[in-house]
Amino acid sequence: MARIAFILLCHKDPEAIIDQARRLTAAGDYISIHFDARSGKDKFDLIRAGLKDNPNVTYATKRIKCGWGEWSLVQASLYAVEAAEAAFPRATHFYMVSGDCMSVKSAEYMHDFLDDNDFDFVESFDFFESDWIKTGIKEERLIYRHWFNERSQKWLFYQSFWLQRKLGLQREIPADIQVQIGSQWWCLRRRTVEWILDFTRTRKDVMKFFRTTWIPDETFFQTLVRHLVPEHEIQSRTLTFLMFTDYGMPVVMYNDHYDLLVSQDFLFARKISPDATELKKRLGDLFAAKDVKFQISGEGRSLFKFLTGRGRNGRRFSQRFWQTESSLGRDRELLMIVCKKWHVAKRLVAKIKEHTDLPCVEYLFSEESTPLPDLGGIEKSLEKRTRHRRAWVRMLFDYFETDRMVVCLDSDGIELIRDFYNDRSSTRLLEIECEFSDDYLDGHAKRVGLAGDQTPADAMERLLPTIRSDINHEYDVIRDEEFENYERISQSNSPEENAAPIARFLQISEEDALKIAKTDYLFYD
């Protein structure tokens, strides 16, 4: 019968880790814990003391400091895997989990499932051919060396990156390795784990390569499994249920997600909210239960997409308390200016401030350095602003003591626009239609990392039409939505022609709107 050695990477909440370890080992399974060395020794000592009498618990051979996107996450996993492989010779499977994971099936179900499915479960898609990476750098993760952390050492990270690009310091991927990418939450058979550990000792060139790649926890195990295991023995999927928003943020599960989670075709789920105590208790009781029959529906991700795409208007589920509280307010009006050329929108906003008393906020969801008031820390990062966008904008309304406010959005922000239109507040939209010269698109490609100073001219000639098409597509998507209270001004129009839509958008006189439309050098690059 299958016996699982859980590989737990964690960094906080010792009591929760102790509870998780006790629960996961209660049915005869094992656990190997790596507790981040950034957390204090006293917390680690609490974990060891709480689990000292549990023979099915071991600890990574070495504790190291971990950072998101770094090799350290892979190294910590390997230390925990090495410890588990040595300590638990009866373990048949090794399953990666985090402190935010919870089982959504019984232990009995898990063992039967793994007995009946003799595969390695790991998401592994071709790094270059798949579209697994949605935003940010792609091949640059591999062909350049990354010594610094993008989150904690942002300046050093990008200075190193741009210097390597400028000097042409690209490196080759090991010739016999076809890099794969996928979720870090895998479940591997014992034989596969033994092969991987042997590989790490013999292929120092591959290990050296991966140590300086960016976000290797999404590529290392995924690549090695494909390299070592026959394809027909691999299921390219994770057994851990997780969902992401359109902005790349993990969806957090709460008490009312129980029925949805247990009906998914997965063994674990993440992220479970630390405050979801009722959910944790119910899932913990389920893990220890016997003879439970599960009705698998598997609608979780499609249901989430359906609901978030249309907003929670009560047609199927009522609003969650945090969504209700984060409504902008029925009596408020949000005026959104949409423009791909940020400098054009900023010039228009500066003129609006001169001729109206409307508070205006520039690219609050796109530009980290946008001038913002101190609102308790939520304004510190784009991630927080986007994740809590309605609550965040509501706080700005409160701060400015107003019921009308102007904000600027990039034309790629269709989901933001939809979300705000789904709110109970009133919403208006002004699109600024600009012309995009080849010189502008060339600079845009370099600013967003699609090209560099060394990019050949023929490559740029092929790239520019694609970028132009993508920008036009963003505007087409916005227009196809047929939003109410939608206005448009254009670079090809005269100030007099642009004044009328500005007047309707701001609800001011055409005389004042004309003064705004006549902004000097409004559309100049």
Side-chain angles (χ1 to χ4, degrees):
M1 185 175 73
R3 282 288 178 265
I4 307 170
F6 294 102
I7 309 301
L8 174 61
L9 300 189
C10 50
H11 65 280
K12 61 182 179 180
D13 202 348
E15 291 299 327
I17 294 168
I18 293 169
D19 290 342
Q20 186 178 24
R22 288 173 177 166
R23 182 176 61 254
L24 293 179
T25 57
D29 293 309
Y30 314 98
I31 192 166
S32 178
I33 301 172
H34 179 276
F35 189 67
D36 197 328
R38 294 184 188 276
S39 301
K41 182 178 180 297
D42 55 336
K43 294 181 180 179
F44 184 53
D45 289 342
L46 284 175
I47 296 171
R48 296 189 70 110
L51 298 170
K52 64 180 180 180
D53 297 324
N54 192 328
N56 288 8
V57 176
T58 192
Y59 301 91
T61 54
K62 183 179 180 180
R63 286 180 66 206
I64 60 173
K65 295 180 180 179
C66 296
W68 185 89
E70 295 179 6
W71 168 256
S72 55
L73 286 175
V74 177
Q75 186 63 72
S77 304
L78 288 172
Y79 284 144
V81 168
E82 288 173 347
E85 190 268 342
F88 308 128
R90 296 183 61 191
T92 61
H93 294 77
F94 294 73
Y95 195 126
M96 176 71 73
V97 294
S98 76
D100 296 321
C101 293
M102 282 286 292
S103 57
V104 294
K105 298 292 187 294
S106 64
E108 181 182 64
Y109 180 97
M110 291 187 191
H111 296 152
D112 290 343
F113 177 89
L114 294 176
D115 284 337
D116 294 339
N117 294 273
D118 188 22
F119 300 103
D120 292 308
F121 291 90
V122 56
E123 265 193 0
S124 53
F125 304 101
D126 186 277
F127 185 92
F128 295 99
E129 299 298 326
S130 72
D131 63 347
W132 202 86
I133 298 175
K134 302 298 184 184
T135 60
I137 61 175
K138 187 170 182 177
E139 67 173 350
E140 292 87 352
R141 291 189 184 191
L142 307 178
I143 63 175
Y144 297 114
R145 298 164 182 83
H146 300 279
W147 296 287
F148 305 103
N149 188 289
E150 193 268 346
R151 289 189 173 181
S152 61
Q153 301 167 298
K154 187 180 290 289
W155 188 85
L156 290 172
F157 179 92
Y158 284 106
Q159 288 299 310
S160 170
F161 172 70
W162 288 113
L163 182 60
Q164 291 180 74
R165 170 175 280 186
K166 182 176 182 179
L167 298 178
L169 299 178
Q170 297 184 14
R171 59 174 175 177
E172 297 294 329
I173 298 170
D176 60 338
I177 293 295
Q178 184 176 3
V179 178
Q180 305 287 304
I181 191 166
S183 168
Q184 70 183 99
W185 311 108
W186 42 254
C187 177
L188 305 177
R189 297 168 296 176
R190 184 179 193 90
R191 182 187 64 179
T192 302
V193 164
E194 291 171 346
W195 285 347
I196 289 174
L197 293 178
D198 288 341
F199 185 95
T200 63
R201 300 177 188 115
T202 57
R203 288 298 303 270
K204 300 300 183 184
D205 59 324
V206 176
M207 298 298 288
K208 180 180 179 182
F209 168 77
F210 275 107
R211 281 192 181 96
T212 51
T213 59
W214 182 233
I215 320 183
D217 54 304
E218 293 179 350
T219 56
F220 179 78
F221 289 99
Q222 298 79 353
T223 300
L224 265 59
V225 172
R226 284 285 178 186
H227 183 74
L228 299 169
V229 178
E231 184 173 0
H232 67 272
E233 296 183 20
I234 301 172
Q235 289 281 326
S236 186
R237 56 163 294 198
T238 174
L239 295 179
T240 298
F241 179 66
L242 65 163
M243 297 187 295
F244 289 90
T245 69
D246 294 331
Y247 307 103
M249 302 305 299
V251 176
V252 179
M253 307 299 173
Y254 295 90
N255 289 331
D256 56 349
H257 281 111
Y258 177 84
D259 291 330
L260 180 142
L261 292 177
V262 299
S263 66
Q264 304 309 309
D265 189 19
F266 295 87
L267 304 185
F268 276 75
R270 72 183 307 270
K271 287 185 161 186
I272 308 298
S273 169
D275 299 322
T277 53
E278 180 186 344
L279 176 62
K280 290 182 178 181
K281 182 182 185 306
R282 295 180 71 184
L283 292 176
D285 293 342
L286 177 66
F287 186 71
K290 300 289 185 181
D291 301 321
V292 180
K293 302 299 181 183
F294 293 92
Q295 189 70 35
I296 305 299
S297 59
E299 87 294 353
R301 290 186 175 130
S302 59
L303 177 60
F304 174 76
K305 184 177 181 181
F306 173 84
L307 290 172
T308 54
R310 290 154 180 80
R312 289 185 179 270
N313 57 13
R315 285 185 291 174
R316 179 161 183 182
F317 299 108
S318 62
Q319 290 184 320
R320 301 191 189 282
F321 71 91
W322 50 266
Q323 288 176 307
T324 302
E325 289 302 311
S326 64
S327 171
L328 305 187
R330 192 181 302 276
D331 297 324
R332 284 172 168 167
E333 187 174 59
L334 183 66
L335 293 84
M336 295 179 285
I337 295 176
V338 175
C339 186
K340 175 60 71 176
K341 292 185 176 181
W342 295 4
H343 58 280
V344 175
K346 290 179 180 181
R347 288 179 193 143
L348 187 72
V349 160
K351 208 67 172 179
I352 290 173
K353 290 179 180 178
E354 286 184 26
H355 294 282
T356 73
D357 59 355
L358 289 171
C360 302
V361 184
E362 294 173 358
Y363 285 85
L364 67 169
F365 296 110
S366 303
E367 193 172 31
E368 194 100 39
S369 59
T370 296
L372 295 167
D374 185 351
L375 294 175
I378 193 174
E379 79 284 353
K380 298 295 184 183
S381 72
L382 292 176
E383 175 186 314
K384 288 184 178 180
R385 298 178 209 165
T386 302
R387 187 194 318 168
H388 307 293
R389 50 189 174 273
R390 290 197 196 180
W392 158 236
V393 173
R394 188 183 74 244
M395 292 171 69
L396 287 173
F397 272 109
D398 292 339
Y399 176 84
F400 291 118
E401 298 181 350
T402 184
D403 289 330
R404 302 183 74 224
M405 182 171 66
V406 176
V407 298
C408 296
L409 302 177
D410 193 283
S411 57
D412 64 4
I414 182 62
E415 293 301 329
L416 285 165
I417 299 171
R418 287 172 179 155
D419 193 31
F420 286 124
Y421 261 92
N422 283 327
D423 191 76
R424 291 176 296 179
S425 62
S426 299
T427 313
R428 293 182 176 275
L429 185 66
L430 176 67
E431 176 195 321
I432 303 179
E433 183 180 46
C434 299
E435 297 171 2
F436 298 95
S437 67
D438 285 351
D439 286 342
Y440 173 83
L441 294 178
D442 184 288
H444 175 75
K446 292 174 181 176
R447 284 190 295 274
V448 301
L450 295 175
D453 294 332
Q454 307 302 317
T455 303
D458 60 338
M460 288 300 300
E461 288 178 3
R462 294 192 301 270
L463 180 62
L464 294 188
T466 301
I467 298 174
R468 189 188 306 276
S469 176
D470 286 346
I471 293 174
N472 290 335
H473 175 70
E474 290 174 1
Y475 281 106
D476 286 341
V477 169
I478 294 172
R479 294 166 190 171
D480 290 343
E481 289 285 336
E482 298 182 349
F483 292 115
E484 294 181 357
N485 303 318
Y486 167 83
E487 305 290 345
R488 185 196 308 167
I489 65 173
S490 175
Q491 184 171 352
S492 61
N493 291 346
S494 67
E496 289 73 16
E497 291 172 316
N498 284 333
I502 291 175
R504 291 191 296 268
F505 173 69
L506 296 174
Q507 295 180 298
I508 59 176
S509 68
E510 288 208 16
E511 180 181 354
D512 286 336
L514 182 58
K515 295 176 183 176
I516 295 172
K518 287 184 174 180
T519 300
D520 291 338
Y521 309 109
L522 176 60
F523 292 100
Y524 280 37
D525 291 330

